[in-house]
Amino acid sequence: MNTLTKAWSWLTTSAHWHGDDGIWTRLGQHLYLTVVCLLISCLIALPVALVLGHLGKGGALAVNISNVGRAVPTFAVLVLLLLTPVGRFGEGPTIVALVLFAVPPLLTNAYVGMREVDQDVVRAARGMGMTGRQLLFQVEVPLALPLVLTGVRIAAVQLVATATIAALAGGGGLGRIITAGFNLASTAQVVAGAALVAAFALIVEGLFAVAQRLAPDRVRDGNAG
Amino acid sequence: MTAPPDDCLARNEWICGAYLTSRRHILWEAVLQHLQLTVIAVLIGLLLALPLALAARHRRWAAGPVLGVTTVLYTVPSLAMFSLLLPVYGLSAALVVAGLVLYSLTLLVRNILAGLRAVPEETRQAARGMGYGPVRLLVAVELPLALPAAMAGLRIATVSAVSLVTIGAIVGYGGLGNLIYSGMNTYFKAQVLTASVLCVVIAVAADLLLLLVQRLLTPWTRRQS
């Protein structure tokens, strides 16, 4: 348990929290990466999934993209991008790799959510003379919201977790504390960094859980994902 | 003084036949390590997940903690997971296997449990009426009926494990991830691309293999359609 005490004292040393490679800076980079990638992924995945779900087409496509996405190691994508011309744009490769990673779960969840809307309700809305656009925004999207939000939550937590990989390729974020620890052969720092990353991921998961619990009944209960 | 005949290695091209022939052994070793780590981790995961899922199914008080703990484990980022286990296992293959096992648990436990819960109560009662004891009921009725859901979880866990093994490169036991990692540091394009493609090939092949096993093990699901 000696390592744990050392990791604790590493964490409680205030010098490790400040400066260009301090914990606060790394946390900020991590948060920035996660938020930017989550926004871009949502902008790409959600419109596509909602339209496909509304039309009732492309289900196999959505599921297949999701499966292929799981088979491709994000680390490999990141390194591949790093060696292409994209690699010259600072955080560019990391953001592209993380977006590619986050799009599949978002797409699948949103598509499934749209398809699970009660078809009787959809037919009733059609019978009332709703146009396609009205049907989409006033009936289907509100009813699909719980599952869509569950997809966003899964994507957010996995992004926090996966953003650590950026550090392996020299990027920023909390993972950097771990890789720096490896380079310094300091197990205490490695464990301290890992504990920080784990805590951050769990806090994000917890925040989403609380937000979903506090949300109005209508958008709760999206546990099918 | 003669120039080397085929110079795609010197030109550092993405696709390079000379790389494949000259580094055959290295590639083969990396693939073997990758397969070993994945298979061992998934098998241990399965051995642990089955009793956990059974406990959660039959002891009501166990369901909450089992699902809660495995979900928390899944939230911990992979790089952090390997690092947190560092004091226990040191820099070893066991470290990577242990990390992967903890990851696969969530997917496996959830899916096996979902499969067991989906067994209709009438089926269970019929089997009891025919004089089946609890053990025979489990082995001959419940587990086979839970198989499709369990196999779905196993496929996701396996594909994810194949892609997560690459992160093991941080401790030197990452299979093809080792080649990606060292290729990144030396800007060796052919090595990075070849190893990445092999990762995806392994994942897809493993998925298809498990699909085949599932079809062979559950002949009754085919007759319905």
Side-chain angles (χ1 to χ4, degrees), chain B residues 144-145 147-148 210-225:
Chain B
L145 284 178
L147 208 59
L210 286 173
L211 187 66
L212 185 72
V213 170
Q214 182 184 349
R215 300 208 75 189
L216 292 175
L217 286 178
T218 58
W220 63 89
T221 55
R222 262 174 291 163
R223 268 176 237 142
Q224 287 171 355
S225 60

Side-chain angles (χ1 to χ4, degrees), chain B residues 120-134:
Chain B
E121 190 52 40
E122 302 93 77
T123 313
R124 242 190 293 271
Q125 278 167 3
R128 274 199 209 100
M130 288 167 68
Y132 279 40

Side-chain angles (χ1 to χ4, degrees), chain A residues 194-207:
Chain A
L196 279 172
V197 178
F200 187 42
L202 291 174
I203 288 172
V204 171
E205 167 83 21
L207 284 179

Side-chain angles (χ1 to χ4, degrees), chain A residues 3 70-73 75-76 79-80 82-84 157-158 161 164-165 168-169 178-179 182 187 190-191 194-195 197-198 201-202, chain B residues 14 72 74-77 79-80 83-84 86-87 156 159-160 163 166-167 170-171 180-181 184 187 189 192-193 196 199 203:
Chain A
T3 321
R70 228 184 249 118
V72 181
F75 176 52
V79 174
L80 282 173
L82 205 66
L83 301 188
T84 60
V157 175
Q158 293 194 338
T164 43
I165 294 174
L168 287 179
I178 299 176
T179 50
F182 269 110
T187 309
V190 169
V191 172
V197 178
L202 291 174
Chain B
W14 286 103
V72 166
Y74 194 68
T75 310
V76 176
L79 188 59
S83 317
L84 280 175
L86 188 63
I156 299 176
V159 171
S160 309
S163 117
T166 53
I167 311 296
I170 183 89
V171 293
I180 297 175
Y181 200 42
M184 175 185 77
Y187 268 73
K189 291 179 178 173
V192 172
L193 184 66
S196 307
C199 274

Side-chain angles (χ1 to χ4, degrees), chain A residues 23 29 53-54 94 122 168 180 189 204-205 211:
Chain A
I23 296 171
Q29 290 167 339
H54 173 68
T94 313
V122 174
L168 287 179
Q189 183 176 338
V204 171
E205 167 83 21

